[in-house]
């Protein structure tokens, strides 16, 4: 195997890791009021030097391999009415994989996601059920950045608020099933549970704990480091987030997470920072 092919192999493996690490939930299951525009730019750093194989055995990358990446994204959600919201997610990544044999890099836009969320019902305006449909369109032709296949996702969410230890609290439960269309299509199940506490009476400080995971399957059960062919993998991760509100319309969120189990995927750690800015047009 040539040096170029060896580096490309591990870079592609790293991109699979990044795609999983940055698959996060943004607005959750709470309503966005009609006329409100929510903008959330974010930056994520991810590092890994180990991976789980097909039997969930963890080991180091060959040749002292190390993968690191910066991912930037812009998420926006608009309240169309009391029942519907429109969301758009556009991500861009910059990846580096280095080994004793050399270094390889890859960068570019990934999949554009456009979704419509429908609020099915609520219980005393305290607990909310919602259903979201999302169209997935690749913004690239280089298969080093993703499957390069169109897809669709259907996600159900349940969110609510309450009190714990005298503090205001909230929870979000989400499960989304996704299908990429084309040769050897991929079915994915993405799930997440978040519980958070507001630390002060002015609702300026909050912390939250999330547990989530990802399961993918296809008629192709073989392991392949190329993300356009690696279609059988799974992982679970935990993350802790801190949020601070500078004003009613501007908040900052800092998050750290790590993978705890996996199969055919990397074992790494990620850190992210995101802003949430809200504009009310009505």
């Amino acid at each position: 195997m040539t040096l170029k092919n060896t580096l490309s192999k591990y870079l592609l493996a790293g991109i699979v890791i990044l795609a999983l690490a940055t698959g996060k939930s943004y607005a959750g299951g709470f309503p966005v009021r009609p006329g409100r525009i929510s903008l959330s730019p974010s930056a994520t750093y991810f590092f890994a030097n180990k991976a789980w194989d097909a039997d969930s055995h963890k080991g180091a990358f060959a040749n002292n391999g190390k993968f690191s990446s910066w991912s930037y994204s812009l998420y926006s959600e608009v309240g169309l009415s009391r029942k519907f919201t429109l969301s758009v997610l556009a991500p861009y990544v910059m990846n580096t994989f280095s080994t004793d044999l050399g270094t390889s890099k890859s960068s570019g836009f990934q999949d554009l996601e456009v979704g419509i969320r429908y609020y099915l019902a609520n219980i005393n305006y305290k607990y909310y059920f919602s259903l979201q449909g999302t169209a997935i369109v690749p913004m690239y032709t280089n298969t080093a950045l993703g499957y390069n296949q169109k897809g669709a996702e259907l996600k159900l969410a349940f969110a609510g608020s309450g009190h714990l230890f005298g503090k205001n609290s909230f929870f979000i439960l989400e499960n989304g099933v996704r299908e990429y269309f084309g040769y050897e299509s991929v079915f994915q199940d993405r799930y997440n549970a978040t519980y958070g506490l507001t630390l002060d009476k002015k609702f300026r400080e909050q912390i939250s704990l999330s547990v989530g995971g990802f399961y993918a399957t296809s008629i192709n059960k073989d392991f392949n480091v190329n993300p356009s062919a690696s279609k059988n993998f799974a992982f679970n991760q935990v993350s802790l987030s801190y949020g601070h509100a500078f004003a009613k319309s501007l908040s900052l969120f800092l998050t750290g997470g790590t993978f705890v189990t996996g199969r055919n995927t990397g074992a790494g750690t990620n850190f992210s920072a995101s802003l949430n800015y809200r504009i009310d047009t009505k």
Side-chain angles (χ1 to χ4, degrees):
M1 181 178 290
T2 66
L3 171 61
K4 180 178 179 181
N5 289 339
T6 299
L7 292 175
S8 297
K9 172 183 176 180
Y10 288 111
L11 177 60
L12 290 171
I15 293 171
V16 174
I17 297 169
L18 177 71
L20 302 181
T22 57
K24 57 182 137 181
S25 173
Y26 287 84
F30 289 98
V32 176
R33 69 172 60 179
R36 170 168 288 179
I37 302 173
S38 178
L39 298 174
S40 298
S42 66
T44 300
Y45 175 75
F46 184 83
F47 174 83
N49 56 11
K50 295 182 179 180
W52 282 284
D53 63 17
D55 297 316
S56 298
H57 298 144
K58 185 164 67 173
F61 283 118
N63 301 309
N64 295 315
K66 296 179 181 179
F67 175 77
S68 63
S69 179
W70 282 98
S71 173
Y72 306 95
S73 65
L74 177 61
Y75 176 84
S76 178
E77 186 164 9
V78 180
L80 302 178
S81 68
R82 291 184 179 274
K83 289 287 188 179
F84 290 95
T85 65
L86 170 69
S87 65
V88 179
L89 172 64
Y92 182 91
V93 294
M94 301 171 62
N95 310 295
T96 301
F97 192 88
S98 60
T99 72
D100 295 337
L101 303 176
T103 300
S104 185
K105 297 182 179 182
S106 180
S107 63
F109 287 99
Q110 293 184 299
D111 292 328
L112 177 69
E113 300 185 12
V114 180
I116 293 289
R117 186 192 303 269
Y118 174 66
Y119 291 94
L120 298 167
N122 73 82
I123 302 175
N124 297 325
Y125 296 99
K126 205 173 170 184
Y127 304 100
Y128 298 89
F129 299 87
S130 64
L131 184 67
Q132 178 171 329
T134 300
I136 303 161
V137 181
M139 297 187 290
Y140 53 89
T141 56
N142 181 3
T143 55
L145 298 173
Y147 292 134
N148 194 24
Q149 294 179 338
K150 295 180 180 179
E153 181 183 68
L154 191 64
K155 179 166 63 177
L156 181 65
F158 175 47
S161 58
H163 293 84
L164 182 68
F165 304 126
K167 305 290 186 180
N168 291 292
S169 64
F170 67 92
F171 70 87
I172 304 171
L173 303 175
E174 296 177 299
N175 191 84
V177 291
R178 177 176 297 203
E179 181 84 15
Y180 286 91
F181 309 113
Y183 177 68
E184 293 182 346
S185 61
V186 184
F187 173 81
Q188 299 177 347
D189 185 7
R190 305 179 180 208
Y191 44 92
N192 185 76
T194 298
Y195 190 84
L197 292 174
T198 301
L199 303 179
D200 65 319
K201 294 182 179 180
K202 294 184 178 180
F203 297 93
R204 291 182 178 176
E205 317 288 337
Q206 73 170 45
I207 59 171
S208 61
L209 177 67
S210 296
V211 178
F214 192 109
Y215 171 82
T217 187
S218 169
I219 59 172
N220 182 350
K221 302 299 182 182
D222 298 330
F223 172 74
N224 192 312
V225 293
N226 191 322
S228 66
S230 180
K231 300 178 177 181
N232 182 33
F233 52 87
F235 80 95
N236 288 287
Q237 69 173 357
V238 295
S239 60
L240 183 65
S241 180
Y242 165 76
H244 174 76
F246 298 101
K248 289 184 177 180
S249 60
L250 180 63
S251 302
L252 170 68
F253 294 90
L254 303 174
T255 303
T258 186
F259 288 18
V260 292
T261 63
R263 175 176 53 81
N264 282 356
T265 187
T269 301
N270 59 84
F271 302 93
S272 67
S274 63
L275 288 172
N276 188 301
Y277 181 63
R278 299 188 301 273
I279 304 170
D280 289 323
T281 61
K282 292 183 181 181

